[in-house]
Amino acid sequence: MTADDVMRSLTDVDYPADKEALLAAAERRGASPEVLRAIRAVPPVDYRNGDEVVRSLRLDPAPHAEPGAQARTPAPPGISQASRAPQQDRVAGARRRTT
């Protein structure tokens, strides 16, 4: 599930809108259970626009990545962890420590 999936379910929302209005709009549009779950998890405040809703969503930035692999991969400053490719293990033979 992505932020775009959620926003497609909220196309007919009149902002400002609270959490209950977001849920009602998503249900009217036939949103998936995952989208409804994501909307239920947002804080109960009034949202001025869709950008505020997206910032409140709890989304996995890299759903297909091995957990922790991206954090172990060095990258230049300004490259997010979700954009990094996991690094290959290049140490072999006697140089590898097996402790």
Side-chain angles (χ1 to χ4, degrees):
M1 192 222 27
T2 65
D4 288 337
D5 296 332
V6 174
M7 294 314 297
R8 275 192 291 275
S9 299
L10 301 177
T11 56
D12 60 344
V13 172
D14 291 325
Y15 293 99
D18 63 2
K19 180 178 176 176
E20 296 305 318
L22 299 176
L23 272 171
E27 288 171 349
R28 280 193 307 272
R29 302 258 316 157
S32 69
E34 293 83 14
V35 168
L36 294 174
R37 191 174 313 117
I39 295 171
R40 284 187 188 104
V42 299
V45 298
D46 287 337
Y47 294 93
R48 292 181 290 184
N49 54 47
D51 290 338
E52 287 186 359
V53 174
V54 169
R55 283 194 299 268
S56 296
L57 294 172
R58 295 181 187 155
L59 301 173
D60 185 4
H64 304 294
E66 174 193 345
Q70 293 170 333
R72 293 188 302 266
T73 305
I79 304 296
S80 69
Q81 286 186 4
S83 300
R84 298 179 190 177
Q87 184 177 5
Q88 298 266 332
D89 185 9
R90 290 178 262 157
V91 179
R95 292 183 15 201
R96 176 178 282 280
R97 292 186 192 186
T98 56
T99 56

